[in-house]
Amino acid sequence: MLQQRTLKSLTRAVGVGLHSGQRVEITLRPAQADTGIIFRRVDLPLPVDIPVSADSVSDTRLASTLAKGTAKVHTVEHLMSACSGLGVDNMYVDITAEEVPILDGSAASFVFLLQSAGIELQKAPRRFIRLLKTVEVRDGQGANEKWARLEPYHGYKLSFEIDFAHPAVDSTGQRVEFDMGSQSYSRDIARARTFGFTKDVEMMRANGLALGGGLDNAIVMDDYKVLNAGGLRYDDEFVKHKILDAMGDLYILGKPLLASYSAFRSGHGLNNKLLRELLAQPQAWEVVSFADDALAPKGFAQLARAW
Ligand SMILES: [Zn+2]
């Protein structure tokens, strides 16, 4: 049987929020089968649990924010992406402020944390949402057009295309495909960092955003080039980060998808709209589990236990 997965032990990290610039500590803890991933704001007078679900997404400007009542957690997508890539179903995330730490701007630090905690297999079957029909959402027109789509596929595959008229981005690939069945999340996707342009950063700072951002946790570009001394981690790091983000945004569904995702210039907002559209069309999907590992799509049965 393909089993649900949680952590073997707890693990902690301290960092700053990308937008708030605030110091924050997260503690990742094991959770029972069928718990899902739950953020717990432990800094509030009474701790508030914010479960990960498409309905909990309250804001998608610049990052994905989850909320329950007035309690919020911003910028969950990189941690969620690491959970998707390593197949973590159940976990508590105790957090001491309202934004997940940005760490190095990619999912690599979260992958390291999860792997050092170790992955524990649980007694309950892992349940997937399998696409039966294509679901698509679109936004904008002409030069502003964006779309995102989920199609039936026996496995999990993502393809993303960006369209930045910038010399540093243009000289790299603007389209990439990642298939869980044949590629490695930790090796091929997790290290891609978030990116930004100096002119936007100045505007964001004036609005109280990106206060924790800098060359240590983002690729920063002026009008012509990448400013980070070390250059890029992958030739096509920009579009790979969009795949990383999409994996995090889609994992907010609460179950892993069996689908092919493709997107053109999508972002957190459109990714969440896609999840809501999917949930609004119950005839477009079914929940499945695999009693026999051999029948599971490639990439899922082989997910490493870490240790
Ligand atoms: Zn991101």
Side-chain angles (χ1 to χ4, degrees):
M1 175 178 78
L2 212 56
Q3 293 160 278
Q4 289 183 30
R5 298 151 64 89
T6 187
L7 302 183
K8 220 177 257 264
S9 60
L10 65 76
T11 179
R12 270 198 189 96
V14 178
V16 294
L18 173 65
H19 293 297
S20 61
Q22 222 177 357
R23 183 190 182 276
V24 54
E25 184 175 318
I26 54 167
T27 305
L28 310 179
R29 293 189 289 119
Q32 288 191 338
D34 296 317
T35 304
I37 297 174
I38 297 181
F39 285 86
R40 178 172 287 175
R41 282 287 303 277
V42 294
D43 56 315
L44 299 175
L46 276 178
V48 177
D49 283 358
I50 309 174
V52 168
S53 83
D55 294 331
S56 300
V57 176
S58 69
D59 188 354
T60 51
R61 289 167 296 175
L62 303 174
S64 287
T65 296
L66 303 176
K68 184 161 173 208
T70 54
K72 288 178 183 167
V73 187
H74 301 290
T75 323
V76 300
E77 59 270 17
H78 300 167
L79 173 55
M80 292 304 295
S81 182
C83 291
S84 172
L86 298 188
V88 176
D89 299 291
N90 304 303
M91 178 173 80
Y92 286 103
V93 183
D94 293 347
I95 183 162
T96 62
E98 67 175 25
E99 190 176 8
V100 175
I102 188 66
L103 303 177
D104 74 339
S106 76
S109 311
F110 295 116
V111 166
F112 173 77
L113 274 175
L114 297 170
Q115 284 180 335
S116 50
I119 305 290
E120 175 88 15
L121 298 180
Q122 299 177 286
K123 293 230 160 65
R126 193 158 198 230
R127 283 184 274 274
F128 296 82
I129 289 193
R130 174 157 69 190
L131 264 283
L132 300 170
K133 282 182 182 175
T134 299
V135 175
E136 184 185 283
V137 289
R138 285 179 177 270
D139 212 4
Q141 287 193 333
N144 291 318
E145 191 186 20
K146 338 169 161 185
W147 53 262
R149 184 187 301 144
L150 287 168
E151 293 168 274
Y153 180 66
H154 187 63
Y156 191 35
K157 179 167 80 170
L158 303 99
S159 76
F160 206 107
E161 186 173 354
I162 52 176
D163 179 28
F164 281 99
H166 185 285
V169 186
D170 234 0
S171 65
T172 73
Q174 300 234 33
R175 185 177 181 281
V176 75
E177 188 169 294
F178 171 70
D179 193 322
M180 284 277 282
S182 54
Q183 290 162 279
S184 153
Y185 173 79
S186 315
R187 187 191 62 211
D188 301 322
I189 299 294
R191 295 177 62 247
R193 290 162 296 174
T194 193
F195 56 95
F197 303 93
T198 42
K199 55 177 188 231
D200 297 338
V201 172
E202 283 152 23
M203 202 173 67
M204 288 199 285
R205 292 226 169 119
N207 289 302
L209 294 166
L211 299 175
L215 293 165
D216 290 340
N217 53 32
I219 307 167
V220 183
M221 287 166 280
D222 64 12
D223 286 341
Y224 309 99
K225 60 184 187 303
V226 170
L227 301 178
N228 305 63
L232 298 178
R233 292 178 175 179
Y234 302 110
D235 292 343
D236 49 0
E237 189 171 354
F238 307 101
V239 67
K240 281 194 165 159
H241 188 79
K242 300 299 280 186
I243 295 258
L244 184 160
D245 275 344
M247 286 181 73
D249 287 342
L250 297 177
Y251 207 52
I252 288 174
L253 191 55
K255 291 187 181 65
L257 278 163
L258 296 181
S260 164
Y261 164 90
S262 48
F264 177 63
R265 303 176 62 219
S266 184
H268 304 303
L270 202 56
N271 288 337
N272 186 245
K273 199 170 157 189
L274 182 63
L275 292 189
R276 288 175 192 250
E277 184 60 34
L278 176 71
L279 294 173
Q281 293 189 36
Q283 76 288 357
W285 50 274
E286 63 180 352
V287 177
V288 295
S289 55
F290 296 93
D292 179 357
D293 282 13
L295 298 176
K298 222 170 149 252
F300 286 100
Q302 298 81 358
L303 277 173
R305 268 194 199 226
W307 55 268

